[in-house]
Amino acid sequence: GGADENLMLIDGISLYNVSHLLGLFSVFTPESLKKATLYKGSFPARYGGRASSVLYVRTNDGNANGFHGSVSAGLLSEKLHFEGPIGSPKTTYSLSARGMHTFLLDPLARLLGSPANYAFYDINAKIAHRISDSDRISAGFYMGRDYFRYSDSDKRSMRYYGPDYEPYERLTDDMSKIRMNWGNTVGVLRWNHIFNGNLFLDASAYVNRYRMNVETISSYWEKDAEAETRDRMEYGFFSGILDIGARADFEYVPMSEHLVKFGAEYVRHAFNPETERSSQMIKNNDVVMDTTMRSDVSNRSWGDELSFYAEDDITLGDHFSLNPGLRLSLFHTGRQVYFCPEPRLSFKASFGKGWAVKTAYSRMSQYVHQLASGNLSLPSDLWVPITGKIPPVKSRIVSAGGYYGGLEGWEFSLELYWKKLDNVLEYLDGKRAFTSSSGWESNVAVGEGRSYGAELYVRKTVGRTTGPVSYTLSKSDRIFRNGSINNGRRFPFVYDRRHNLCVDVNQRIGKRIDLSAVWRFDSGHWMTVPEGWTIVMDDQSGFGDIVPYIPSRNNYHL
């Protein structure tokens, strides 16, 4: 699936930016985490809003037994983590921070004349308080930012001769600057309450803001013995999403064979795909030739998302378990209301001696799209909501697998999956480099997608040498049956990875030294490349335009 099809949750709140340095770093620092759970084929009904996968991350509450901390330095980043009680064991805190040292050294880099710099940082903070044996409250905060700047100045001194062959000097300075930053800010308040031994409540209210800013400044200065000219242009670009939501999750245990989970969530989305501001000033000597001009372009929109869910973990004897669930979600935008029922079902059978089989079926709905302008997920890609013309993405996912854990210290699994996608978006032919959200609905087409494959997993869990080996054979493609893209023929999706092999080895040497190594092989991306050029003639003018000849979408395999 695409990058926007993966639901990344931190304490139940969805993140829109989950990586730094083009994916080399995750926004989740390990010291701040308590637990991370990945769902890629069998989705509980309590999760929704994306079409491909769910990663649920729960942050650390803090240590009630005493102060603990760590400080570490690496080649690319530094980090620290502190946790402990505040006054009494009833109140705890956890604080984690990480950043690239290039952020702290930026003033020195500017002083030394470095034209560019990139840095990022993450801050996780949480305070938890146990009011009683039945009540617990907590407040969590996350902020992550990426920062990039570039500046270039071309200063010249040129010698000229006037009409009387008198020499004079002309000084010029051609300068350009780019500043860019992006990231998430999340705040959440949570209340946990135990009604009795059978009923539990987890309620939360949160705010999540994603922002991306770009500022460019270009100026030209020229001076000689008679005149001085200045031309300065500034351009600003802003894109962002603001989510304000509340959620209530209940757990009910009517008997030992059932664990019922149900709840509801409401989110108010404020989308600002694009706001532009520009100004220009031209000055000749002391006379302003052109006053400052400003232009604002903005297309804000709002969406209301409401969802209800119920599911039941059912234990049927010693060998069978079942998880049926249903999620009902509504999304209101403009004058359009979308209603999406999402049934879920998973089944597991254990046969003894470590053998087990699992199968699952899930329907998912997605109400936001990421307009990607290329083959990489970049911060300049725009997030836009569904509209009256663009329906939500819907997926149907079926998976089945066999598992064996009867050999002590080893785990084996083989899983098959098939996924069908409806209402996926792709830019029309010739619109691949389109990066503006203005009129974006007329530049995209709605089609279908599918993904299917097999995953083999082997893991050694005990001994001095441990680690997993995994291999995936898969295929992913798209089709637009109305002929708007690729003449209605199937073509490989940009993330189609036919082969994926990963080997992770951890070696323990004594009590104080661990060594680890990771080796990974992936099939490359797909991209669209012209294979030639042709001339298209205009019957009226008789002139022709040279256009690229592209036989099909994503015709080249990196």
Side-chain angles (χ1 to χ4, degrees), residues 54-307:
V54 177
L55 177 65
Y56 183 88
V57 171
R58 183 177 176 183
T59 57
N60 193 358
D61 292 332
N63 195 311
N65 298 320
F67 172 79
H68 295 273
S70 64
V71 178
S72 59
L75 295 177
L76 290 176
S77 66
E78 287 74 44
K79 55 186 177 179
L80 58 86
H81 173 71
F82 302 117
E83 61 177 336
I86 302 178
S88 69
K90 290 185 176 182
T91 305
T92 59
Y93 77 93
S94 174
L95 174 64
S96 301
R98 178 184 61 176
M100 288 186 72
H101 40 256
T102 51
F103 186 81
L104 300 175
L105 299 177
D106 191 53
L108 179 61
R110 292 175 182 268
L111 184 63
L112 297 177
S114 174
N117 189 27
Y118 167 82
F120 71 84
Y121 70 86
D122 294 298
I123 299 175
N124 284 88
K126 193 172 187 179
I127 296 178
H129 177 67
R130 181 164 54 86
I131 302 174
S132 64
D133 293 338
S134 301
D135 293 279
R136 180 183 178 89
I137 59 173
S138 64
F141 173 80
Y142 166 78
M143 173 180 280
R145 285 289 185 275
D146 289 72
Y147 165 80
F148 172 77
R149 71 163 178 86
Y150 173 81
S151 61
D152 184 32
S153 180
D154 185 10
K155 298 181 179 180
R156 295 185 181 182
S157 175
M158 294 167 285
R159 188 178 181 88
Y160 292 88
Y161 292 89
D164 298 330
Y165 298 99
E166 291 292 331
Y168 68 93
E169 275 193 328
R170 178 178 294 171
L171 305 177
T172 62
D173 184 3
D174 194 355
M175 183 271 294
S176 63
K177 293 182 179 179
I178 300 175
R179 291 193 296 266
M180 187 175 183
N181 64 83
W182 64 95
N184 293 284
T185 302
V186 175
V188 57
L189 296 175
R190 188 176 302 276
W191 172 45
N192 300 105
H193 177 68
I194 301 175
F195 292 95
N196 51 54
N198 298 330
L199 183 61
F200 310 88
L201 168 65
D202 181 3
S204 60
Y206 59 87
V207 176
N208 177 23
R209 187 172 190 178
Y210 171 74
R211 301 186 63 178
M212 189 270 290
N213 288 284
V214 179
E215 297 179 9
T216 64
I217 301 174
S218 61
S219 65
Y220 179 77
W221 174 76
E222 181 180 302
K223 182 179 182 180
D224 56 25
E226 298 181 352
E228 180 180 2
T229 302
R230 294 181 181 272
D231 185 355
R232 180 183 177 89
M233 178 175 287
E234 298 183 8
Y235 173 78
F237 179 91
F238 168 81
S239 179
I241 304 175
L242 175 64
D243 292 345
I244 301 176
R247 182 183 180 101
D249 298 285
F250 293 87
E251 289 189 10
Y252 176 57
V253 186
M255 58 187 70
S256 60
E257 295 84 5
H258 292 266
L259 173 57
V260 180
K261 298 181 181 181
F262 60 96
E265 182 178 17
Y266 169 75
V267 186
R268 171 71 167 177
H269 302 277
F271 296 91
N272 189 359
E274 178 183 54
T275 297
E276 295 180 281
R277 287 183 171 85
S278 62
S279 64
Q280 184 177 17
M281 183 185 70
I282 302 175
K283 196 174 183 181
N284 190 0
N285 290 335
D286 294 330
V287 180
V288 177
M289 304 295 294
D290 194 355
T291 58
T292 300
M293 298 178 298
R294 293 186 179 274
S295 62
D296 294 331
V297 178
S298 179
N299 50 351
R300 294 183 178 92
S301 59
W302 288 264
D304 296 282
E305 184 177 354
L306 180 64
S307 60

Side-chain angles (χ1 to χ4, degrees), residues 367-395:
Y367 301 109
V368 294
H369 300 281
Q370 189 177 28
L371 297 182
S373 56
N375 293 325
L376 289 175
S377 180
L378 300 174
S380 58
D381 295 339
L382 304 179
W383 289 88
V384 295
I386 62 173
T387 66
K389 298 180 181 178
I390 306 297
V393 179
K394 296 183 179 181
S395 66

Side-chain angles (χ1 to χ4, degrees), residues 536-548:
V536 178
M537 303 299 297
D538 189 320
D539 294 337
Q540 295 181 355
S541 66
F543 294 97
D545 293 327
I546 299 178
V547 297

Side-chain angles (χ1 to χ4, degrees), residues 460 463-468 504-508 514-518:
K460 189 174 184 291
R464 289 182 174 270
T465 304
T466 59
D504 188 347
V505 179
N506 303 290
Q507 182 68 40
R508 189 174 77 250
D514 291 319
L515 298 179
S516 64
V518 177

